């Protein structure tokens, strides 16, 4: 990550603001606030004057009265957006400007400030604008720095590039030096020219699956052989480079030379004996015996070896241990000359905490199965009884569920988060195995008739004690393992079965993560074919997500299911205006109004006005609206008066178990 290069004072000097308003009173008030943020402000009191100013100067940020000369503000912004793609625009608007707001939504501006001026709301919007401009200036500077960084990296790291078939297209001088080959001998050749004969085929299959099929970054230790036959180890990072459509263009690999030895206890003790002062760290995979209960011995052995191969890559970059030893039963040792570590003036405990965090944050994937591993550490410094002390410390740490233990120090930190996550994953696995991932159903009523016309399917987990667990307590953690898609599969199965017991429509939540997974899409279409006579009773609720990776596959999925009669709803709509373009692409049948707006409408005019705007827009587009979080009669009556079509919330019914319905 690049550091923050642009200082605030530098930003203020560079930012040029154009403020367009014909109301002298508001100009004076707004300028007082704007001058707290910007130094270079130009005021225009008409659309024509603003056009002249735009021709003479480049502006970074434009604040424009939406109603200036009737629709002139809207038309002016249309022209600005066509001509100046990178300018940020905020509309000044009164609360009752519904028609103007509807028109402005299509322009995808960067914010709204409402009249009369609310200082908190005004400052919030302006601060967001300054943040965006700060990012823009940082980007320009970073491009300049990036070119310099490329030269630094090329001179300090072993680098190669290959095409999509694995043929070498580029190597730097350091690569040639360590391999013993010159460029002419390497370019156009496969990396197999460096392959050590005893490396397992599974190792390379895993690497290629990661970078070519999954298009992810791969980290690991590679054992290679040079032109002269010398064996050497490399700590490697291989990354696929993608074009804007997500297609792999080439692969780039960064390597650091390592003297890595995966050895046993005898060699470890010999190495300690040879050195006068050593730092020894013992590493234990937390609850390793639990893996043996879940998986067979072959798979556990594979996990142990793969973790060993990746262990060095989890170490903080500030210091890499040269020697790693496997001791069996998920236990490893790291050894180094303590003086080498001490020279770097690194805080050892902080270093080990980062090491533990790196392991916790990573996912070890083998043959499509993801392992969310955590570790416990014990460390000791010295020469005599070093291994015995560290081993005793590790046993204490394991017994007390402690993460880092110095064998001669009683201060030990407990990694409660790691333990909790492991317990959640274990709970989810048990629930899946015992069909305790269930669906609860919450009614959605027609505001006009007050009759139930739909149910929304909501996932729940029943634990071993019979307690009903909310998705808030397990769904996010499940995404770290290989269980999230299994949960989705169970929810789909439960929901479609419900079609045989109710006559209403059924709403099923789908995330971008669900739709982007090919296996989940195939399962959905299999169920739709099985229940083809009931497809018109299915509604898929899509949660707005700015982190969508494969937007085209989602659009294609929507078109395909709609052709089968399925309805599409956009969940949590109204949190921002940025979703308008996506809304047009999705062509939804239903908008579910964001609950944070609904629950505030009794007191908050802003929320009320936004909902009225959404309803007005939806009716013009023949889109139905559903309000969530309808908790009382007052909220329901207000929504009904606004023209919202459906309501969902505790006022009409809580989510209930399947068997309670019919």
């Amino acid at each position: 990550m690049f550091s923050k290069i642009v200082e605030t004072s530098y930003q203020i000097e560079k930012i040029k603001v154009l403020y367009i308003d014909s109301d002298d009173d508001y100009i004076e008030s707004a300028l007082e606030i704007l001058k707290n943020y910007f130094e270079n402000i130009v005021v225009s009191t008409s659309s024509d004057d603003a056009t002249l100013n735009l021709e003479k100067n480049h502006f970074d940020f434009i604040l424009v009265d939406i109603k200036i000369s009737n629709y002139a503000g809207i038309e002016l912004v249309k022209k600005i957006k066509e001509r100046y793609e990178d300018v940020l625009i905020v509309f000044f608007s009164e609360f009752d400007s519904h028609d103007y707001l509807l028109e402005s939504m299509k322009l995808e501006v960067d914010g709204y400030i409402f009249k009369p001026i609310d200082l908190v709301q005004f400052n919030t919007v302006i601060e967001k604008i300054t943040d965006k401009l700060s990012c823009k200036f940082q980007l320009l500077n970073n491009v300049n720095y990036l070119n310099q960084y490329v030269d630094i990296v090329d001179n300090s790291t072993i680098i190669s590039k290959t095409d999509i078939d694995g043929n070498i297209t580029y190597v730097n001088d350091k690569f040639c030096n360590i391999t013993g080959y010159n460029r002419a001998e390497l370019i156009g050749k496969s990396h197999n020219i460096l392959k050590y004969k005893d490396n397992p085929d599974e190792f390379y299959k895993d690497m290629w699956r990661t970078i070519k099929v999954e298009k992810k970054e791969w980290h690991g230790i590679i054992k290679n052989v040079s032109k002269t036959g010398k064996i050497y180890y490399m700590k490697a990072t291989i990354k696929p480079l993608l074009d804007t459509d997500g297609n792999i263009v080439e692969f780039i690999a960064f390597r650091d030379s390592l003297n890595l030895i995966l050895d046993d206890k005898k060699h470890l003790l010999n190495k300690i004996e040879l050195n006068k002062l050593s730092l020894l760290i013992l590493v234990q995979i937390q609850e390793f015996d639990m893996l043996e209960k879940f998986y067979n011995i072959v798979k556990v052995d594979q996990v142990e070896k793969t973790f060993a191969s990746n262990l060095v890559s989890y170490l903080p970059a500030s210091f890499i241990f040269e020697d790693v030893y496997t001791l069996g039963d998920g236990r490893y040792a790291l050894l180094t000359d303590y003086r080498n570590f001490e020279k770097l003036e690194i805080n050892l405990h902080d270093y080990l905490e980062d090491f533990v965090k790196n392991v916790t944050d990573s996912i070890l994937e083998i043959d499509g199965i993801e392992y969310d591993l955590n570790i416990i550490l014990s460390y000791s410094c010295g020469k005599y009884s070093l291994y015995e002390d560290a081993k005793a410390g590790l046993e204490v740490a394991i017994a007390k569920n402690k993460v880092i233990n110095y064998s001669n120090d009683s201060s030990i930190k407990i990694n409660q988060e790691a333990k909790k996550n492991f317990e959640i994953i274990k709970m989810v696995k048990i629930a899946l195995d015992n069909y305790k991932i269930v669906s609860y159903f919450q009614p959605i009523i027609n505001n006009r008739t007050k009759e139930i016309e739909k149910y929304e399917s909501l996932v729940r987990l029943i634990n071993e004690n019979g307690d009903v667990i909310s998705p808030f307590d397990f769904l996010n953690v499940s995404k770290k393992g290989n269980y999230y898609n299994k949960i989705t599969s169970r929810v789909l199965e439960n929901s479609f079965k419900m079609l045989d017991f109710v006559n209403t429509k059924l709403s099923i939540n789908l995330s971008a993560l669900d739709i982007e997974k090919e296996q989940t899409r195939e399962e959905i279409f299999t169920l739709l074919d099985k229940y083809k006579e009931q497809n018109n009773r299915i509604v898929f609720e899509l949660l707005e997500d700015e982190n969508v990776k494969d937007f085209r596959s989602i659009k294609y999925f929507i078109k395909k299911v709609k052709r089968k009669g399925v309805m599409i709803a956009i969940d949590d709509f109204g949190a921002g205006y940025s979703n308008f373009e996506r809304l047009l692409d999705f062509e939804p049948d239903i908008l579910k109004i964001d609950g944070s707006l609904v629950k505030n409408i009794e007191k908050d005019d802003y929320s009320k006005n936004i909902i009225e705007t959404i309803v007005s827009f939806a009716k013009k587009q023949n889109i139905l609206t559903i309000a969530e979080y309808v908790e009382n009669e007052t909220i329901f009556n207000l929504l009904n008066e606004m023209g919202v079509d459906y309501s969902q919330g505790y006022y009409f019914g809580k989510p209930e178990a399947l068997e309670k319905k019919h």
Side-chain angles (χ1 to χ4, degrees), residues 87-271:
V87 68
L88 300 182
I89 299 174
V90 169
F91 269 130
F92 228 156
S93 171
E94 296 178 354
F95 272 114
D96 60 354
S97 307
H98 295 149
D99 293 338
Y100 290 90
L101 282 172
L102 285 171
E103 287 294 317
S104 70
M105 286 170 66
K106 300 175 184 178
L107 298 175
E108 298 180 1
V109 294
D110 300 281
Y112 296 82
I113 295 174
F114 292 101
K115 297 179 179 181
I117 292 175
D118 180 309
L119 284 176
V120 173
Q121 197 257 341
F122 192 112
N123 280 308
T124 298
V125 174
I126 296 301
E127 284 172 4
K128 287 181 179 178
I129 292 297
T130 56
D131 284 344
K132 286 185 178 181
L133 289 169
S134 173
C135 290
K136 171 187 170 183
F137 293 137
Q138 286 182 43
L139 180 60
L140 292 173
N141 279 276
N142 287 343
V143 169
N144 175 43
Y145 281 97
L146 182 60
N147 292 325
Q148 299 174 56
Y149 291 164
V150 168
D151 289 337
I152 295 171
V153 171
D154 197 56
N155 292 326
S156 61
T157 306
I158 302 164
I159 302 174
S160 69
K161 292 199 293 183
T162 62
D163 60 24
I164 57 175
D165 297 318
N167 298 315
I168 299 171
T169 58
Y170 170 80
V171 293
N172 67 349
D173 290 338
K174 284 186 169 292
F175 189 96
C176 293
N177 292 338
I178 197 166
T179 64
Y181 293 95
N182 60 43
R183 283 187 175 83
E185 293 172 312
L186 292 168
I187 302 300
K189 301 292 193 309
S190 166
H191 270 285
N192 286 340
I193 194 173
L194 306 169
K195 182 178 178 181
Y196 182 66
K197 58 182 175 60
D198 289 341
N199 286 347
D201 290 338
E202 188 58 35
F203 173 83
Y204 294 103
K205 288 178 182 177
D206 172 69
M207 180 182 71
W208 280 106
R209 180 172 59 248
T210 302
I211 63 176
K212 195 168 186 178
V213 179
E214 299 174 0
K215 301 180 181 179
K216 295 179 180 177
E217 192 173 281
W218 180 88
H219 304 273
I221 305 298
I222 298 178
K223 185 178 183 181
N224 283 339
V225 59
S226 71
K227 184 178 180 179
T228 61
K230 179 183 177 182
I231 295 171
Y232 61 95
Y233 290 88
M234 308 292 292
K235 179 188 176 186
T237 297
I238 306 175
K239 183 176 179 61
L241 301 182
L242 311 178
D243 61 20
T244 54
D245 295 322
N247 300 312
I248 297 174
V249 178
E250 60 182 350
F251 302 99
I252 187 166
F254 300 88
R255 303 171 184 83
D256 291 315
S257 180
L258 265 185
N259 175 26
L260 175 70
I261 302 173
L262 300 177
D263 217 330
D264 59 15
K265 179 181 173 182
K266 181 180 178 181
H267 288 87
L268 170 64
L269 295 177
N270 287 339
K271 188 67 180 282

Side-chain angles (χ1 to χ4, degrees), residues 10 49-50 64 66 78 105 124 167 190 195 203 230 313 318 481 540 554 564 593 652:
Y10 178 60
D49 183 51
V64 55
I66 200 171
K78 284 181 182 178
M105 286 170 66
T124 298
N167 298 315
S190 166
K195 182 178 178 181
F203 173 83
K230 179 183 177 182
S313 69
S318 52
F540 287 140
I554 294 176
K564 292 179 176 289
I593 301 169
F652 295 103

